[in-house]
Amino acid sequence: QVQLVESGGGLVQPGGSLRLSCAASGSIFHIYAMAWYRQAPGKQRELVAGFTSGGSTNYADSVKGRFTISRDNPKNTVYLQMNSLKAEDTAVYYCNAYLRTTVVGSRSDYWGQGTQVTVSS
């Protein structure tokens, strides 16, 4: 019953900004980590930014200084603020969560449906 729903993608010019949102809903006992991945045509899905429940964060080298991941714990929502966008950032962006649905359940990865980000002039 867990769902991850991304929003905020779109078409922007180089140098522009977008803010992606991912809202997790359903039966969630504990989220161990959440992250944003992206996949461009012909390329493997790659980690863009993520954080653990302990608050540690990490970013892909290609987005450091431009992207910022943040979260709203009460709402189980993670954001990705993307500034100074480049054409190379064009991809489908996916939200990922590693979580338990119950106190004794197994931990599993869940994925959102993806949101398209296109950076073009």
Side-chain angles (χ1 to χ4, degrees), residues 1-92:
Q1 296 182 345
V2 175
Q3 294 186 86
L4 302 178
V5 180
E6 302 102 330
S7 62
L11 174 64
V12 298
Q13 294 184 337
S17 298
L18 283 174
R19 190 189 192 204
L20 306 183
S21 299
C22 173
S25 63
S27 181
I28 300 173
F29 172 70
H30 183 71
I31 299 176
Y32 296 93
M34 295 190 75
W36 287 97
Y37 288 75
R38 68 185 181 187
Q39 187 166 24
K43 296 184 178 180
Q44 294 184 351
R45 187 172 299 186
E46 65 174 346
L47 175 67
V48 178
F51 60 80
T52 69
S53 60
S56 62
T57 60
N58 63 295
Y59 296 88
D61 289 340
S62 60
V63 307
K64 287 181 178 178
R66 299 188 298 119
F67 292 9
T68 302
I69 189 170
S70 61
R71 62 184 177 181
D72 185 340
N73 288 335
K75 297 181 179 179
N76 285 331
T77 299
V78 61
Y79 305 93
L80 185 67
Q81 179 66 47
M82 305 185 295
N83 298 325
S84 301
L85 283 162
K86 306 174 181 178
E88 304 90 90
D89 297 317
T90 296
V92 177

